[in-house]
Amino acid sequence: MKVSSFKDPLLLRAIPLSARPAAQQTMRILERPEISTSASLIQDTNWHVADYPEIHVAGELMQIPYRMYYSWPDEDITSQLTPAEHLVLACWMSRHHDGRVRQRALSLIFASDAPWTIPFVVQLCGEYVIELGKDVLAFLNRDLPGRSVLQRAYKQFSNENPQFISLTEQRAASYWLDDYRSEMARDEYPQLAALRILARLFD
């Protein structure tokens, strides 16, 4: 396996301490990107950053970058990763600048019950790629009801992060208003439909 000595502290901080050893191993297969990882977090905009809420999972602060520019490593390299390392890579790639890469990563994240993956999923409901919203909505409707551990984790996340959920809904509504209101009713927009499911998980 090709090993890099390059370290990206922004990506490492996106992964909780429980999974940090896997993140450190996974970092070794990433090649330095031409564009540095964005210092903005997923709850930030380009200004008034301090106005936006922190994100916590099971009490631990999550600092997830808004965008990253690494290439997905070749299959002969990723095939040597452990399941935990694969999951770390998928979560990082869900922040990729290319929506198709984010969608590929999302399909891998759905297979995990790890609670710390949840903000990576929820964030995609506040972005403009409608295919990602459709994927999240299908997952929440089809898979989540049968996975009690993960369902409880989503409920806890929603209760711990109401401001982030609200901000994500505002962003989704803005994208619907700007891009899709002539094509579908607000209730039919998949990003907003997915967030309504999460809203029902509140205590």
Side-chain angles (χ1 to χ4, degrees):
M1 180 187 298
K2 183 178 180 181
V3 175
S4 170
S5 61
F6 175 64
K7 301 294 182 184
D8 186 336
L10 291 172
L11 285 191
L12 290 176
R13 289 203 301 270
I15 306 301
L17 292 176
S18 60
R20 195 70 58 79
Q24 291 169 337
Q25 288 296 110
T26 308
M27 181 71 67
R28 299 166 72 224
I29 70 169
L30 296 180
E31 296 185 2
R32 185 188 294 269
E34 293 184 4
I35 302 176
S36 298
T37 303
S38 170
S40 295
L41 303 181
I42 57 174
Q43 68 269 34
D44 298 340
T45 62
N46 292 328
W47 50 279
H48 291 170
V49 170
D51 294 341
Y52 291 93
E54 292 183 341
I55 297 172
H56 295 85
V57 176
E60 185 170 355
L61 178 67
M62 300 285 288
Q63 295 181 300
I64 302 171
Y66 184 70
R67 282 287 177 261
M68 51 85 83
Y69 299 87
Y70 293 87
S71 297
W72 201 306
D74 293 338
E75 175 64 26
D76 63 332
I77 296 175
T78 59
S79 64
Q80 300 178 57
L81 297 177
T82 67
E85 292 163 0
H86 248 298
L87 182 59
V88 167
L89 179 64
C91 287
W92 283 341
M93 290 297 165
S94 76
R95 305 311 318 134
H96 199 274
H97 66 95
D98 187 328
R100 292 166 295 185
V101 174
R102 298 201 296 278
Q103 188 171 32
R104 175 185 174 186
L106 187 59
S107 67
L108 299 175
I109 295 171
F110 286 153
S112 173
D113 283 344
W116 62 266
T117 65
I118 293 173
F120 292 93
V121 175
V122 174
Q123 168 62 21
L124 295 173
C125 293
E127 298 183 8
Y128 62 90
V129 180
I130 195 169
E131 290 81 6
L132 293 171
K134 290 177 179 178
D135 289 349
V136 174
L137 179 61
F139 168 75
L140 295 177
N141 274 323
R142 181 189 62 236
D143 297 336
L144 188 62
R147 294 165 64 177
S148 58
V149 172
L150 189 60
Q151 190 173 37
R152 288 194 296 271
Y154 267 91
K155 181 176 181 178
Q156 182 177 353
F157 179 82
S158 296
N159 285 320
E160 282 185 332
N161 300 278
Q163 291 177 298
F164 175 59
I165 297 291
S166 176
L167 175 63
T168 305
E169 182 177 5
Q170 292 172 40
R171 289 177 168 170
S174 179
Y175 282 121
W176 168 78
L177 190 64
D178 289 344
D179 301 327
Y180 293 103
R181 63 174 172 171
S182 64
E183 301 178 25
M184 62 185 70
R186 190 181 191 277
D187 289 348
E188 296 173 346
Y189 185 54
Q191 275 86 334
L192 288 170
L195 290 167
R196 283 199 305 276
I197 293 175
L198 293 181
R200 293 200 293 268
L201 296 178
F202 278 90
D203 284 334

